[in-house]
Amino acid sequence: MEIAATSTVSVALQSRRLSLALSKKLGSFSSLSFGCFERKYCVGIGSSSVRVSAAASMDAVTAEKISPASFLDKRESGGVLHFVKYHGLGNDFILVDNRDSSEPKITQEQAAKLCDRNFGVGADGVIFAMPGVNGTDYSMRIFNSDGSEPEMCGNGVRCFARFISELQNLQGKHSFTIHTGAGLIVPEIQEDGQVKVDMGKPILKAQDVPTKLPGNKGEAVIQGELVVDGVSWNVTCVSMGNPHCITFGKKGGPKLKVDDLNLPEIGPKFENHEMFPARTNTEFVEVLSRSHLKMRVWERGAGATLACGTGACALVVAAVLEGRANRKCTVDLPGGPLEIEWKQEDNHIYMTGPAEAVFYGSALL
Ligand SMILES: N[C@H](CCC[C@H](N)C(=O)O)C(=O)O
């Protein structure tokens, strides 16, 4: 619905009535995009020349009929990207409906700009919902906030599942098969809205993580040694399709207190360590009990994030292999908890957690 306005825009939410009272000429501004999502109304006004005219009022009932799909279906003129912003425990992503093409709608450079928290929308990454391949329902690609492309994203795939279900107006329990850089991933939306994801099997072979550290338990690195700035750390290396270096502390050192860590100082030294040819995500872990772990993470290509789903899966594998935890754990991340289970019977890891839409809008590229 195009709104033609010759006046200032004031948005008043009155008892479920969203009314746009337009009262005096506006110069020029860009797409006035609005929508409502789960009672959250948002109006975004950008900054390029588009005329809007006439007063319009739209009550919340009408507003509720605006589905994300209709908003996203607005024709994308050149230079504008429609998106929906989601987060999984504060690990936040720009989600793009890319189901009409197998090529991402924006470049890695554009993604990095959009992820900038001062000069862009702000996010830990951009996620594209793309057509399926080899019979899967969809494919997912992701660009980190530095523009690099990882194989997989655990919090992101929960957001992806919720995005698809909202685009298709699905209610209740639904699961999807998604092709990713980590292979087939199957998220299932639960009745309570949480998303349970079959994250597949952990990869332990050092060369497949990948790491140049020598395997010390068969071909796996379990409580191996990584020297960072002359200090020896105990590390276990696990891939969830993307590389993870997990540490419970320094060799011979005291129990790790993750809240005491200076992540911006130590994180990049692990991320860019020469022993990780594809760089690495690093999880610093504190054992609270055999079924309760606490972590902070420095992510490859995104820095310190509030949560890392693949990292939570990888650290449970490391904790089990180091004899520190059971196969079913609650992992406390700065953004909230995830339930993780590494099942003996199928060697798959299952992650359960939330995913929430925050707003949607149009970004100028
Ligand atoms: N930065 C990660 C990708 C995102 C992973 C994380 N956000 C998750 O939830 O799994 C990497 O380069 O491997």
Side-chain angles (χ1 to χ4, degrees):
M1 167 172 86
E2 285 305 311
I3 301 173
T6 55
S7 58
T8 48
V9 173
S10 66
V11 176
L13 298 184
Q14 295 142 7
S15 60
R16 294 170 56 77
R17 232 181 136 67
L18 169 64
S19 61
L20 294 176
L22 309 167
S23 58
K24 71 176 190 290
K25 193 167 185 63
L26 280 186
S28 62
F29 58 89
S30 78
S31 58
L32 172 67
S33 56
F34 55 82
C36 66
F37 203 86
E38 292 179 349
R39 303 271 177 280
K40 294 179 190 119
Y41 296 85
C42 46
V43 176
I45 296 180
S47 58
S48 71
S49 63
V50 166
R51 283 185 58 73
V52 277
S53 60
S57 72
M58 173 186 74
D59 64 41
V61 174
T62 314
E64 274 169 349
K65 288 193 190 109
I66 293 182
S67 73
S70 64
F71 174 80
L72 292 172
D73 285 349
K74 280 175 69 177
R75 263 174 13 83
E76 288 187 354
S77 55
V80 173
L81 179 79
H82 299 304
F83 64 88
V84 186
K85 185 79 188 303
Y86 278 80
H87 78 89
L89 299 179
N91 189 201
D92 60 336
F93 303 96
I94 294 164
L95 270 93
V96 176
D97 182 3
N98 216 106
R99 291 175 296 171
D100 59 352
S101 165
S102 298
E103 279 307 310
K105 285 183 189 283
I106 61 172
T107 66
Q108 291 169 258
E109 293 71 29
Q110 287 173 321
K113 284 184 185 153
L114 283 182
C115 288
D116 189 290
R117 296 192 186 279
N118 295 100
F119 299 102
V121 174
D124 289 329
V126 181
I127 290 178
F128 305 91
M130 306 177 92
V133 294
N134 303 330
T136 64
D137 297 326
Y138 301 99
S139 300
M140 178 177 93
R141 285 180 66 179
I142 169 175
F143 293 156
N144 280 317
S145 56
D146 72 349
S148 61
E149 180 168 7
E151 302 80 354
M152 177 51 193
C153 178
N155 288 318
V157 80
R158 297 201 313 276
C159 295
F160 184 106
R162 288 296 303 266
F163 180 50
I164 292 295
S165 73
E166 269 112 32
L167 278 180
Q168 295 186 348
N169 233 349
L170 301 176
Q171 309 299 325
K173 239 179 166 177
H174 276 86
S175 70
F176 309 102
T177 54
I178 302 173
H179 169 76
T180 73
L184 177 67
I185 298 291
V186 183
E188 180 184 60
I189 297 178
Q190 309 292 290
E191 289 299 347
D192 64 0
Q194 297 265 319
V195 186
K196 181 173 183 179
V197 187
D198 174 352
M199 295 286 283
K201 299 177 181 175
I203 297 161
L204 298 171
K205 203 171 171 184
Q207 68 185 44
D208 296 337
V209 171
T211 179
K212 294 178 184 171
L213 288 173
N216 63 338
K217 293 278 187 326
E219 297 182 277
V221 177
I222 298 170
Q223 283 193 300
E225 179 180 24
L226 183 72
V227 179
V228 180
D229 270 358
V231 176
S232 287
W233 291 77
N234 272 320
V235 297
T236 290
C237 301
V238 179
S239 168
M240 292 303 297
N242 58 348
H244 293 271
C245 174
I246 297 104
T247 183
F248 294 85
K250 296 169 184 170
K251 277 218 179 291
K255 183 171 179 279
L256 194 55
K257 289 288 179 198
V258 296
D259 292 339
D260 297 345
L261 286 166
N262 180 347
L263 268 191
E265 196 269 330
I266 190 78
K269 293 174 181 172
F270 276 82
E271 175 187 2
N272 300 295
H273 199 288
E274 60 179 1
M275 286 293 126
F276 295 99
R279 299 189 291 165
T280 189
N281 301 284
T282 306
E283 287 77 23
F284 300 88
V285 190
E286 203 171 319
V287 179
L288 304 178
S289 78
R290 288 191 61 82
S291 59
H292 193 183
L293 304 167
K294 179 179 179 182
M295 70 100 108
R296 287 179 71 197
V297 59
W298 181 269
E299 283 198 36
R300 174 181 67 169
T305 60
L306 293 181
C308 180
T310 51
C313 295
L315 74 84
V316 168
V317 172
V320 170
L321 293 174
E322 292 192 24
R324 299 173 187 270
N326 304 328
R327 283 176 169 269
K328 193 168 184 178
C329 291
T330 298
V331 177
D332 286 352
L333 305 104
L338 283 174
E339 299 304 323
I340 308 291
E341 182 174 7
W342 179 21
K343 282 194 176 168
Q344 186 114 35
E345 51 271 34
D346 62 3
N347 189 30
H348 282 223
I349 302 169
Y350 295 85
M351 165 189 68
T352 304
E356 273 185 73
V358 181
F359 64 87
Y360 46 105
S362 311
L364 301 179
L365 298 174

